Structures are given as C-alpha cells and as structure tokens.
Amino acid sequence: MIDFHSHILPNIDDGSKSQEQSKAIIEEAIEAGFTKIISTSHYLEDYYEVDEANREIMIRKLNEDCKDIELYLGSEIYITDSIVQLLEDKKASTINNSRYVLFELPLNSKPFNAKEVVYKLIEKEYIPIIAHPERYSYVQDDIDFVNELAEMGAFFQANYGSIIGLYGRKAEKTVKKLLKDGLIHFLGSDVHRDNQIYPYMPKIFKKLSKIISEDEIEELTTINPQRVLDNEDIEE
C-alpha cells in the first residue's frame, strides 16, 4: 500500500517535530502494511515555506535512515491564486515530480476561487488533487461542490481517519457517501505524529470493506497512487 498524504518531514510544518519522531511514524506505517509513503508537507505562503530543494535533502536523509520503505516528495499546498507560480519556482512540489498536484481548501469557508485554481492547473497541464474533501463543512452541507470540481477534472483524496470518525460524525458520513459515489480516488493517513492513525488501520479497513469492494480498496490504496508516482493517467 502507498500512503498518499503524510507530514513526516521534521520541523517544517505542524507534523513531525524531530528526525526521531519521523522514524517512529515511519516504523508504524511499515507495521501497518505500507511499502511507500508520499511526503506532503504543508506549503502555506508566508507561513510554511520550505522549498523543494531543502525538502529533497530531508527526504533523502529519511530514506537513508528507513530502509524498509520508499519515501517520495510532494506538497500539500494551501489554495492560492499563485499555485502555478509556486510550482514553477520549485517552492511547492508536485507529487514525485509528476503532473499531479495535491492542494487543500479552507475547512469552514467555501473558497470563491476553487474552480479558477483547478482551471489554472489544468490549463498548465497539471492534474489537481484536492485533499480530504470530507472535512470541509461546505462539502458536508452540499456534496454537489465536489461533483462540480470533479466534472472539471479534479481528483480527490480522503483521510483514513474520517472512515472511523476521527474528524467527527459529519466527516464520517460525508466520506462514506463520497466513497460510495466513486468520488474518492486516493486514501491517505494525513499523519502528523506517531500513535495517531497507523495503529487504527485494522479497524479502518474492516469498516472500509463494508463501504466499497476489495477491488476498489486496492485501487484507492495502491493502484491509483502508483499511477501518480509513475506520472500515468488515472482511469475514471
């Protein structure tokens, strides 16, 4: 399995606080059955701004220290009209130097520029992936917003924790509907610290298997993430 969303690089966002904690988190991932992790540290203008070159050094060091798993570079970019420029300037990163871009929206206020940002990315031949839509209050209230962005060409990544209610009942209910409607294309831990999510994976998969088929689980946890790493198209 491939963890599509994580905050494992130390001391650059609200995730891991040390190299040792990063290694502890990764050991938990290995024990949970993951063979690859995509590092998607926050990139938020004027707040979290560690550029690609420095993050490459950090992930190389983690790869050297953790031999039983493969780590890949990406970003979780907070939505901004400057998103294309950040990518072109090698400040924020696509996933594994592919066309795929993971970005997040505000939790509680519907962004007026979401469609414009999706359009800008596609216009420049990037492929937008929106992080954890089930956590956004306006998606919980009106799931059609996800449908509208999907019709434009956006893909979506849900958090494993949402499946068992770690982000609240509304997120749990919303992710279930998104999964059943085929609007989720990737699953990720969104891990920030050890003992947060990986120990719950057996419980999560037990519940997930009651929502979607084993083939669909394989697609969301392994097949689609690998296609992104290989810069291949996702089959819809």
Side-chain angles (χ1 to χ4, degrees):
M1 295 190 300
I2 301 168
D3 190 350
F4 201 80
H5 182 157
S6 71
H7 298 269
I8 55 173
L9 294 185
N11 293 315
I12 66 171
D13 63 5
D14 58 346
S16 172
K17 299 305 178 190
S18 68
Q19 185 80 358
E20 289 308 309
Q21 185 176 40
S22 295
K23 289 193 281 187
I25 293 169
I26 291 166
E27 285 302 316
E28 286 185 352
I30 294 168
E31 187 152 342
F34 291 95
T35 58
K36 300 176 183 180
I37 301 175
I38 300 169
S39 166
T40 53
S41 303
H42 289 292
Y43 195 98
L44 172 58
E45 289 175 298
D46 301 320
Y47 201 76
Y48 297 128
E49 292 192 317
V50 179
D51 65 17
E52 185 172 283
N54 281 294
R55 284 181 287 107
E56 281 179 340
I57 292 169
M58 297 171 78
I59 204 155
R60 195 177 306 126
K61 172 63 175 163
L62 267 182
N63 261 317
E64 290 170 359
D65 288 347
C66 304
K67 301 294 187 184
D68 297 325
I69 198 163
E70 296 174 36
L71 308 176
Y72 297 87
L73 192 65
S75 292
E76 180 186 16
I77 308 165
Y78 191 82
I79 188 170
T80 169
D81 292 330
S82 305
I83 193 165
V84 170
Q85 196 62 49
L86 292 176
L87 294 166
E88 291 180 350
D89 291 345
K90 295 292 185 180
K91 292 180 178 179
S93 305
T94 65
I95 295 173
N96 196 35
N97 202 32
S98 69
R99 296 166 291 161
Y100 290 88
V101 180
L102 181 71
F103 70 99
E104 65 175 330
L105 308 180
L107 283 175
N108 296 311
S109 56
K110 187 175 181 179
F112 66 89
N113 60 338
K115 291 182 180 179
E116 184 181 355
V117 169
V118 167
Y119 175 79
K120 282 181 178 180
L121 286 167
I122 292 172
E123 184 183 36
K124 292 294 185 178
E125 299 187 344
Y126 293 107
I127 302 173
I129 303 171
I130 296 172
H132 44 61
E134 75 281 359
R135 295 182 59 195
Y136 305 135
S137 61
Y138 42 91
V139 172
Q140 295 168 1
D141 293 338
D142 183 8
I143 212 164
D144 284 344
F145 183 60
V146 170
N147 279 298
E148 291 168 9
L149 295 174
E151 287 171 4
M152 291 183 68
F155 292 91
F156 298 89
Q157 169 263 312
N159 284 5
Y160 283 112
S162 299
I163 295 163
I164 57 170
L166 293 186
Y167 301 96
R169 182 71 185 93
K170 283 188 174 181
E172 181 182 355
K173 182 179 178 181
T174 303
V175 79
K176 184 176 181 180
K177 178 163 179 52
L178 290 168
L179 284 162
K180 284 187 170 182
D181 289 351
L183 288 166
I184 298 300
H185 308 90
F186 315 93
L187 289 168
S189 69
D190 200 358
V191 66
H192 283 64
R193 56 192 172 275
D194 50 328
N195 204 34
Q196 179 190 23
I197 184 65
Y198 293 128
Y200 295 99
M201 293 309 297
K203 180 180 179 182
I204 290 165
F205 278 110
K206 185 176 180 181
K207 189 159 187 180
L208 185 60
S209 66
K210 295 177 182 178
I211 302 171
I212 58 176
S213 70
E214 291 301 320
D215 285 347
E216 289 171 314
I217 292 173
E218 177 79 3
E219 192 172 324
L220 271 54
T221 62
T222 305
I223 295 171
N224 284 351
Q226 187 60 54
R227 285 182 176 139
V228 170
L229 290 175
D230 293 338
N231 201 22
E232 296 175 351
D233 291 337
I234 302 295
E235 296 177 7
E236 296 188 68

